[in-house]
């Protein structure tokens, strides 16, 4: 029996996207993406570092801004390169400078 092949979404790099849209490449230099799965998980692409980390809030640098997650039992579940997964009960998310 053959296994079904799983199709994965192919992400477009900022360089390819700039070429496709015919815009300057530096337009996407601080490109970041945040995906929320309900109020239990947040996945960030484009994170440049952890600014503050406590049980009830996590502040991360993304581009020229910072994003602050507030909640309960927050933890960084995984951090690889510029990708971060935050786990816990997320009560709010705000962009701060």
């Amino acid at each position: 029996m053959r296994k079904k092949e799983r199709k994965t979404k192919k992400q477009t790099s900022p360089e390819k996207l700039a070429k496709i849209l015919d815009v300057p490449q530096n337009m996407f230099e601080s490109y970041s993406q945040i995906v929320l799965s309900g109020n239990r998980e947040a996945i960030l692409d484009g994170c440049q570092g952890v600014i503050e980390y406590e049980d009830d809030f996590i502040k991360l640098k993304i581009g020229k801004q910072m994003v602050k997650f507030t909640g309960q039992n927050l933890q960084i579940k995984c951090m690889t390169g510029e990708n971060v997964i935050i786990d816990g009960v997320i009560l709010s998310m705000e962009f701060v400078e």
Side-chain angles (χ1 to χ4, degrees):
M1 181 178 223
R2 291 178 60 178
K3 290 183 180 178
K4 289 185 180 180
E5 289 188 27
R6 193 177 214 185
K7 291 185 180 182
T8 58
K9 288 185 179 180
K10 185 177 178 183
Q11 292 187 353
T12 305
S13 70
E15 294 82 17
K16 286 183 183 178
L17 189 58
K19 187 175 182 179
I20 291 168
L21 297 175
D22 194 28
V23 295
Q25 277 189 335
N26 64 355
M27 184 174 182
F28 296 104
E29 282 181 0
S30 63
Y31 173 75
S32 61
Q33 181 177 357
I34 301 172
V35 178
L36 295 172
S37 296
N39 70 334
R40 298 294 180 156
E41 183 179 75
I43 302 170
L44 286 85
D45 294 328
C47 178
Q48 297 171 339
V50 178
I51 305 299
E52 293 182 71
Y53 186 170
E54 297 290 332
D55 185 47
D56 59 346
F57 75 93
I58 297 174
K59 190 187 291 186
L60 305 168
K61 179 155 177 59
I62 56 169
K64 295 179 181 178
Q65 293 184 320
M66 288 179 275
V67 63
K68 180 179 179 180
F69 292 90
T70 306
Q72 301 167 348
N73 302 319
L74 296 179
Q75 61 181 338
I76 295 177
K77 186 176 176 182
C78 179
M79 185 170 189
T80 57
E82 292 186 353
N83 300 318
V84 176
I85 299 175
I86 296 174
D87 191 40
V89 179
I90 300 169
L91 298 175
S92 70
M93 180 187 84
E94 65 180 313
F95 292 94
V96 294
E97 293 191 32

